[in-house]
Amino acid sequence: MTTKAYGARAADKPLESLDIERRAAGPRDVQIEIAYCGVCHSDLHTVRSEWAGTRFPCVPGHEIVGHVSAVGRDVRDFKVGDTVGVGCMVGSCHHCAACDEGLEQYCENGFTGTYNSRTPDAPGHTLGGYSQRIVVDEKFVLKIRHGEDQLAAVAPLLCAGITTYSPLRHWKAGPGRKVGIVGIGGLGHMGIKLAHAMGAHTVAFTTSESKRQDAHDLGADEVVVSRDAAQMNAHAGTFDLILDTVAASHDLDAYSSLLKRDGTLVLIGVPEHPHPTPNIAHLVFKRRAIAGSLIGGIAETQEMLDFCADKGIVSDIEMIRAQDIDAAYERMLRSDVKYRFVIDNASLAG
């Protein structure tokens, strides 16, 4: 099945219209006509080979929302016309300890990414959501309960949403807990919305005073300008959890010192260069921890989508055409978006 897509043939080439092949739906497969696909920083890094191992042609996109157009004979949970989503994974081994616990994102044999992972299908690696359709094992397809008018803004939940939801749930954000969100961007704006909806006292950290009102509008109870030492010191030793979304090397001590005893600083932004070595004394004398977190498993991602549907939560987005992706990448590098770009996949036909 030939499908229109947008992708890159080499790291130094712009994205262009491509014809790619999709397999026919097998017995347990779901074929999806993609309506919208969110644009993630991971897409940019992969397309430009800033992370090792990019396979070309590269068709990125792992924040996929669309409608079922065909199902295999053994599929029971989905039917033609259903509104569905696909996130960062389309496969895992299904038999390791992590998969047995519903933690496919930590599959001990490596999960299959929605794009740039080896696969038997042509061209030998997965091709993502910057395309008109995709065929996915039903175990990695998610049900969407949001209204049709919200679907474009739902797409980033499949990555930015679950990346922030998973650590907030794991470290028990909720009533009576004080939670900090460092950075107000694609990840951070979702972290603020979700922590607030979970009932936590939510504090946003930003380097810019100009973002104070934005943070409050997103749901922050308090906003701290991290460059102001007095504002930072006023919160010393008071946080149960701080979620650090910043994907640039920075001083972790500034945030670990704000944790209570047994508090945790969770890193979800991956910087190009390592963070400076933290002051271990900040950790050992208060039994504080610095941890990391990836996305969530399929069950937890479905839980997140249902939570967001119940709470009326979507991402703040700017819609673009496929032809504007390279320009959008450049704007992402300048942090010139509030807060996620989403492709209208109908533009792939033009």
Side-chain angles (χ1 to χ4, degrees), residues 259-284:
L259 297 169
K260 292 179 178 177
R261 172 177 50 82
D262 293 324
T264 305
L265 171 63
V266 182
L267 309 180
I268 58 175
V270 181
E272 181 181 358
H273 304 291
H275 296 300
T277 301
N279 183 343
I280 304 304
H282 282 180
L283 307 180
V284 300

PDB file of all heavy atoms in Angstrom, residues 259-284:
ATOM      1  N   LEU A 259      14.201  20.467  47.609  1.00  0.00           N
ATOM      2  CA  LEU A 259      13.435  19.277  47.990  1.00  0.00           C
ATOM      3  C   LEU A 259      13.368  19.102  49.503  1.00  0.00           C
ATOM      4  O   LEU A 259      14.297  19.427  50.225  1.00  0.00           O
ATOM      5  CB  LEU A 259      14.066  18.027  47.378  1.00  0.00           C
ATOM      6  CG  LEU A 259      14.090  17.928  45.846  1.00  0.00           C
ATOM      7  CD1 LEU A 259      14.983  16.762  45.422  1.00  0.00           C
ATOM      8  CD2 LEU A 259      12.682  17.766  45.287  1.00  0.00           C
ATOM      9  N   LYS A 260      12.243  18.537  49.950  1.00  0.00           N
ATOM     10  CA  LYS A 260      12.136  18.075  51.327  1.00  0.00           C
ATOM     11  C   LYS A 260      13.029  16.847  51.533  1.00  0.00           C
ATOM     12  O   LYS A 260      13.583  16.300  50.575  1.00  0.00           O
ATOM     13  CB  LYS A 260      10.700  17.641  51.626  1.00  0.00           C
ATOM     14  CG  LYS A 260       9.644  18.712  51.647  1.00  0.00           C
ATOM     15  CD  LYS A 260       8.293  18.055  51.934  1.00  0.00           C
ATOM     16  CE  LYS A 260       7.170  19.066  52.022  1.00  0.00           C
ATOM     17  NZ  LYS A 260       5.858  18.388  52.236  1.00  0.00           N
ATOM     18  N   ARG A 261      13.130  16.408  52.778  1.00  0.00           N
ATOM     19  CA  ARG A 261      13.715  15.080  53.016  1.00  0.00           C
ATOM     20  C   ARG A 261      12.878  14.062  52.239  1.00  0.00           C
ATOM     21  O   ARG A 261      11.651  14.103  52.240  1.00  0.00           O
ATOM     22  CB  ARG A 261      13.694  14.752  54.503  1.00  0.00           C
ATOM     23  CG  ARG A 261      14.109  13.308  54.806  1.00  0.00           C
ATOM     24  CD  ARG A 261      14.148  13.011  56.296  1.00  0.00           C
ATOM     25  NE  ARG A 261      12.948  13.422  56.997  1.00  0.00           N
ATOM     26  CZ  ARG A 261      11.824  12.709  57.040  1.00  0.00           C
ATOM     27  NH1 ARG A 261      11.729  11.572  56.364  1.00  0.00           N
ATOM     28  NH2 ARG A 261      10.791  13.151  57.731  1.00  0.00           N
ATOM     29  N   ASP A 262      13.553  13.160  51.546  1.00  0.00           N
ATOM     30  CA  ASP A 262      12.935  12.110  50.729  1.00  0.00           C
ATOM     31  C   ASP A 262      12.267  12.649  49.460  1.00  0.00           C
ATOM     32  O   ASP A 262      11.555  11.915  48.781  1.00  0.00           O
ATOM     33  CB  ASP A 262      11.920  11.280  51.524  1.00  0.00           C
ATOM     34  CG  ASP A 262      12.575  10.450  52.609  1.00  0.00           C
ATOM     35  OD1 ASP A 262      13.702   9.965  52.378  1.00  0.00           O
ATOM     36  OD2 ASP A 262      11.972  10.297  53.695  1.00  0.00           O
ATOM     37  N   GLY A 263      12.498  13.912  49.139  1.00  0.00           N
ATOM     38  CA  GLY A 263      11.975  14.453  47.887  1.00  0.00           C
ATOM     39  C   GLY A 263      12.785  13.968  46.689  1.00  0.00           C
ATOM     40  O   GLY A 263      13.927  13.486  46.828  1.00  0.00           O
ATOM     41  N   THR A 264      12.204  14.099  45.505  1.00  0.00           N
ATOM     42  CA  THR A 264      12.846  13.594  44.287  1.00  0.00           C
ATOM     43  C   THR A 264      12.823  14.644  43.186  1.00  0.00           C
ATOM     44  O   THR A 264      11.783  15.265  42.928  1.00  0.00           O
ATOM     45  CB  THR A 264      12.140  12.324  43.776  1.00  0.00           C
ATOM     46  OG1 THR A 264      12.096  11.344  44.825  1.00  0.00           O
ATOM     47  CG2 THR A 264      12.874  11.737  42.581  1.00  0.00           C
ATOM     48  N   LEU A 265      13.968  14.830  42.548  1.00  0.00           N
ATOM     49  CA  LEU A 265      14.099  15.637  41.342  1.00  0.00           C
ATOM     50  C   LEU A 265      14.132  14.670  40.165  1.00  0.00           C
ATOM     51  O   LEU A 265      15.034  13.834  40.065  1.00  0.00           O
ATOM     52  CB  LEU A 265      15.384  16.468  41.395  1.00  0.00           C
ATOM     53  CG  LEU A 265      15.794  17.225  40.134  1.00  0.00           C
ATOM     54  CD1 LEU A 265      14.763  18.284  39.757  1.00  0.00           C
ATOM     55  CD2 LEU A 265      17.181  17.855  40.298  1.00  0.00           C
ATOM     56  N   VAL A 266      13.142  14.748  39.298  1.00  0.00           N
ATOM     57  CA  VAL A 266      13.027  13.813  38.174  1.00  0.00           C
ATOM     58  C   VAL A 266      13.383  14.528  36.876  1.00  0.00           C
ATOM     59  O   VAL A 266      12.770  15.546  36.527  1.00  0.00           O
ATOM     60  CB  VAL A 266      11.614  13.221  38.074  1.00  0.00           C
ATOM     61  CG1 VAL A 266      11.539  12.221  36.915  1.00  0.00           C
ATOM     62  CG2 VAL A 266      11.224  12.541  39.379  1.00  0.00           C
ATOM     63  N   LEU A 267      14.357  13.993  36.158  1.00  0.00           N
ATOM     64  CA  LEU A 267      14.819  14.571  34.900  1.00  0.00           C
ATOM     65  C   LEU A 267      14.114  13.890  33.728  1.00  0.00           C
ATOM     66  O   LEU A 267      14.153  12.661  33.601  1.00  0.00           O
ATOM     67  CB  LEU A 267      16.335  14.395  34.758  1.00  0.00           C
ATOM     68  CG  LEU A 267      17.196  14.846  35.946  1.00  0.00           C
ATOM     69  CD1 LEU A 267      18.660  14.599  35.649  1.00  0.00           C
ATOM     70  CD2 LEU A 267      16.947  16.313  36.273  1.00  0.00           C
ATOM     71  N   ILE A 268      13.444  14.689  32.894  1.00  0.00           N
ATOM     72  CA  ILE A 268      12.845  14.126  31.683  1.00  0.00           C
ATOM     73  C   ILE A 268      13.361  14.818  30.421  1.00  0.00           C
ATOM     74  O   ILE A 268      13.131  14.329  29.317  1.00  0.00           O
ATOM     75  CB  ILE A 268      11.307  14.167  31.726  1.00  0.00           C
ATOM     76  CG1 ILE A 268      10.788  15.589  31.898  1.00  0.00           C
ATOM     77  CG2 ILE A 268      10.768  13.264  32.829  1.00  0.00           C
ATOM     78  CD1 ILE A 268       9.279  15.693  31.823  1.00  0.00           C
ATOM     79  N   GLY A 269      14.066  15.935  30.573  1.00  0.00           N
ATOM     80  CA  GLY A 269      14.734  16.560  29.443  1.00  0.00           C
ATOM     81  C   GLY A 269      16.130  15.972  29.273  1.00  0.00           C
ATOM     82  O   GLY A 269      16.843  15.773  30.254  1.00  0.00           O
ATOM     83  N   VAL A 270      16.502  15.646  28.049  1.00  0.00           N
ATOM     84  CA  VAL A 270      17.809  15.038  27.775  1.00  0.00           C
ATOM     85  C   VAL A 270      18.701  16.077  27.108  1.00  0.00           C
ATOM     86  O   VAL A 270      18.486  16.421  25.936  1.00  0.00           O
ATOM     87  CB  VAL A 270      17.677  13.791  26.887  1.00  0.00           C
ATOM     88  CG1 VAL A 270      19.042  13.167  26.639  1.00  0.00           C
ATOM     89  CG2 VAL A 270      16.733  12.778  27.512  1.00  0.00           C
ATOM     90  N   PRO A 271      19.719  16.590  27.816  1.00  0.00           N
ATOM     91  CA  PRO A 271      20.556  17.650  27.241  1.00  0.00           C
ATOM     92  C   PRO A 271      21.593  17.113  26.259  1.00  0.00           C
ATOM     93  O   PRO A 271      21.974  15.939  26.320  1.00  0.00           O
ATOM     94  CB  PRO A 271      21.236  18.254  28.467  1.00  0.00           C
ATOM     95  CG  PRO A 271      21.347  17.104  29.425  1.00  0.00           C
ATOM     96  CD  PRO A 271      20.100  16.280  29.206  1.00  0.00           C
ATOM     97  N   GLU A 272      22.034  17.973  25.381  1.00  0.00           N
ATOM     98  CA  GLU A 272      23.092  17.597  24.432  1.00  0.00           C
ATOM     99  C   GLU A 272      24.400  17.336  25.163  1.00  0.00           C
ATOM    100  O   GLU A 272      25.166  16.446  24.800  1.00  0.00           O
ATOM    101  CB  GLU A 272      23.274  18.721  23.403  1.00  0.00           C
ATOM    102  CG  GLU A 272      24.329  18.423  22.348  1.00  0.00           C
ATOM    103  CD  GLU A 272      24.502  19.559  21.363  1.00  0.00           C
ATOM    104  OE1 GLU A 272      23.788  20.569  21.474  1.00  0.00           O
ATOM    105  OE2 GLU A 272      25.377  19.437  20.468  1.00  0.00           O
ATOM    106  N   HIS A 273      24.671  18.118  26.217  1.00  0.00           N
ATOM    107  CA  HIS A 273      25.883  17.949  27.015  1.00  0.00           C
ATOM    108  C   HIS A 273      25.481  17.615  28.457  1.00  0.00           C
ATOM    109  O   HIS A 273      24.436  18.070  28.934  1.00  0.00           O
ATOM    110  CB  HIS A 273      26.722  19.230  26.994  1.00  0.00           C
ATOM    111  CG  HIS A 273      27.090  19.685  25.621  1.00  0.00           C
ATOM    112  ND1 HIS A 273      27.973  18.989  24.816  1.00  0.00           N
ATOM    113  CD2 HIS A 273      26.671  20.756  24.884  1.00  0.00           C
ATOM    114  CE1 HIS A 273      28.097  19.615  23.663  1.00  0.00           C
ATOM    115  NE2 HIS A 273      27.319  20.688  23.676  1.00  0.00           N
ATOM    116  N   PRO A 274      26.296  16.834  29.189  1.00  0.00           N
ATOM    117  CA  PRO A 274      25.919  16.419  30.541  1.00  0.00           C
ATOM    118  C   PRO A 274      25.727  17.606  31.483  1.00  0.00           C
ATOM    119  O   PRO A 274      26.371  18.656  31.340  1.00  0.00           O
ATOM    120  CB  PRO A 274      27.106  15.556  30.985  1.00  0.00           C
ATOM    121  CG  PRO A 274      27.768  15.114  29.724  1.00  0.00           C
ATOM    122  CD  PRO A 274      27.574  16.226  28.749  1.00  0.00           C
ATOM    123  N   HIS A 275      24.852  17.412  32.468  1.00  0.00           N
ATOM    124  CA  HIS A 275      24.714  18.397  33.537  1.00  0.00           C
ATOM    125  C   HIS A 275      25.994  18.420  34.370  1.00  0.00           C
ATOM    126  O   HIS A 275      26.695  17.394  34.485  1.00  0.00           O
ATOM    127  CB  HIS A 275      23.552  18.021  34.462  1.00  0.00           C
ATOM    128  CG  HIS A 275      22.216  18.035  33.796  1.00  0.00           C
ATOM    129  ND1 HIS A 275      21.683  19.151  33.210  1.00  0.00           N
ATOM    130  CD2 HIS A 275      21.284  17.058  33.654  1.00  0.00           C
ATOM    131  CE1 HIS A 275      20.477  18.862  32.726  1.00  0.00           C
ATOM    132  NE2 HIS A 275      20.219  17.600  32.978  1.00  0.00           N
ATOM    133  N   PRO A 276      26.322  19.545  35.000  1.00  0.00           N
ATOM    134  CA  PRO A 276      27.434  19.546  35.960  1.00  0.00           C
ATOM    135  C   PRO A 276      27.160  18.533  37.079  1.00  0.00           C
ATOM    136  O   PRO A 276      26.009  18.283  37.435  1.00  0.00           O
ATOM    137  CB  PRO A 276      27.421  20.977  36.509  1.00  0.00           C
ATOM    138  CG  PRO A 276      26.701  21.788  35.481  1.00  0.00           C
ATOM    139  CD  PRO A 276      25.689  20.871  34.861  1.00  0.00           C
ATOM    140  N   THR A 277      28.213  17.960  37.621  1.00  0.00           N
ATOM    141  CA  THR A 277      28.057  16.972  38.692  1.00  0.00           C
ATOM    142  C   THR A 277      27.350  17.599  39.887  1.00  0.00           C
ATOM    143  O   THR A 277      27.750  18.661  40.366  1.00  0.00           O
ATOM    144  CB  THR A 277      29.428  16.440  39.140  1.00  0.00           C
ATOM    145  OG1 THR A 277      30.077  15.859  38.011  1.00  0.00           O
ATOM    146  CG2 THR A 277      29.282  15.403  40.240  1.00  0.00           C
ATOM    147  N   PRO A 278      26.267  16.970  40.363  1.00  0.00           N
ATOM    148  CA  PRO A 278      25.553  17.559  41.500  1.00  0.00           C
ATOM    149  C   PRO A 278      26.337  17.469  42.796  1.00  0.00           C
ATOM    150  O   PRO A 278      27.216  16.603  42.960  1.00  0.00           O
ATOM    151  CB  PRO A 278      24.275  16.720  41.573  1.00  0.00           C
ATOM    152  CG  PRO A 278      24.641  15.419  40.946  1.00  0.00           C
ATOM    153  CD  PRO A 278      25.637  15.738  39.874  1.00  0.00           C
ATOM    154  N   ASN A 279      26.021  18.356  43.704  1.00  0.00           N
ATOM    155  CA  ASN A 279      26.597  18.342  45.051  1.00  0.00           C
ATOM    156  C   ASN A 279      25.968  17.193  45.826  1.00  0.00           C
ATOM    157  O   ASN A 279      24.787  17.246  46.191  1.00  0.00           O
ATOM    158  CB  ASN A 279      26.323  19.683  45.744  1.00  0.00           C
ATOM    159  CG  ASN A 279      26.944  19.766  47.121  1.00  0.00           C
ATOM    160  OD1 ASN A 279      27.319  18.759  47.717  1.00  0.00           O
ATOM    161  ND2 ASN A 279      27.043  20.975  47.655  1.00  0.00           N
ATOM    162  N   ILE A 280      26.739  16.153  46.094  1.00  0.00           N
ATOM    163  CA  ILE A 280      26.186  14.958  46.733  1.00  0.00           C
ATOM    164  C   ILE A 280      25.692  15.250  48.147  1.00  0.00           C
ATOM    165  O   ILE A 280      24.750  14.623  48.632  1.00  0.00           O
ATOM    166  CB  ILE A 280      27.241  13.826  46.748  1.00  0.00           C
ATOM    167  CG1 ILE A 280      27.730  13.541  45.317  1.00  0.00           C
ATOM    168  CG2 ILE A 280      26.668  12.561  47.360  1.00  0.00           C
ATOM    169  CD1 ILE A 280      26.640  13.209  44.342  1.00  0.00           C
ATOM    170  N   ALA A 281      26.293  16.228  48.799  1.00  0.00           N
ATOM    171  CA  ALA A 281      25.859  16.573  50.154  1.00  0.00           C
ATOM    172  C   ALA A 281      24.396  17.001  50.175  1.00  0.00           C
ATOM    173  O   ALA A 281      23.674  16.734  51.150  1.00  0.00           O
ATOM    174  CB  ALA A 281      26.739  17.676  50.723  1.00  0.00           C
ATOM    175  N   HIS A 282      23.944  17.661  49.108  1.00  0.00           N
ATOM    176  CA  HIS A 282      22.537  18.062  49.030  1.00  0.00           C
ATOM    177  C   HIS A 282      21.619  16.850  49.064  1.00  0.00           C
ATOM    178  O   HIS A 282      20.463  16.943  49.498  1.00  0.00           O
ATOM    179  CB  HIS A 282      22.274  18.829  47.735  1.00  0.00           C
ATOM    180  CG  HIS A 282      22.738  20.249  47.782  1.00  0.00           C
ATOM    181  ND1 HIS A 282      22.588  21.113  46.709  1.00  0.00           N
ATOM    182  CD2 HIS A 282      23.357  20.969  48.743  1.00  0.00           C
ATOM    183  CE1 HIS A 282      23.090  22.293  47.027  1.00  0.00           C
ATOM    184  NE2 HIS A 282      23.569  22.223  48.252  1.00  0.00           N
ATOM    185  N   LEU A 283      22.140  15.714  48.604  1.00  0.00           N
ATOM    186  CA  LEU A 283      21.332  14.502  48.544  1.00  0.00           C
ATOM    187  C   LEU A 283      21.422  13.685  49.834  1.00  0.00           C
ATOM    188  O   LEU A 283      20.411  13.314  50.419  1.00  0.00           O
ATOM    189  CB  LEU A 283      21.768  13.642  47.354  1.00  0.00           C
ATOM    190  CG  LEU A 283      21.811  14.334  45.987  1.00  0.00           C
ATOM    191  CD1 LEU A 283      22.259  13.344  44.913  1.00  0.00           C
ATOM    192  CD2 LEU A 283      20.465  14.938  45.619  1.00  0.00           C
ATOM    193  N   VAL A 284      22.657  13.420  50.291  1.00  0.00           N
ATOM    194  CA  VAL A 284      22.821  12.457  51.380  1.00  0.00           C
ATOM    195  C   VAL A 284      22.290  12.967  52.718  1.00  0.00           C
ATOM    196  O   VAL A 284      21.814  12.177  53.544  1.00  0.00           O
ATOM    197  CB  VAL A 284      24.294  12.013  51.530  1.00  0.00           C
ATOM    198  CG1 VAL A 284      24.785  11.348  50.258  1.00  0.00           C
ATOM    199  CG2 VAL A 284      25.202  13.174  51.912  1.00  0.00           C
TER     200      VAL A 284
END
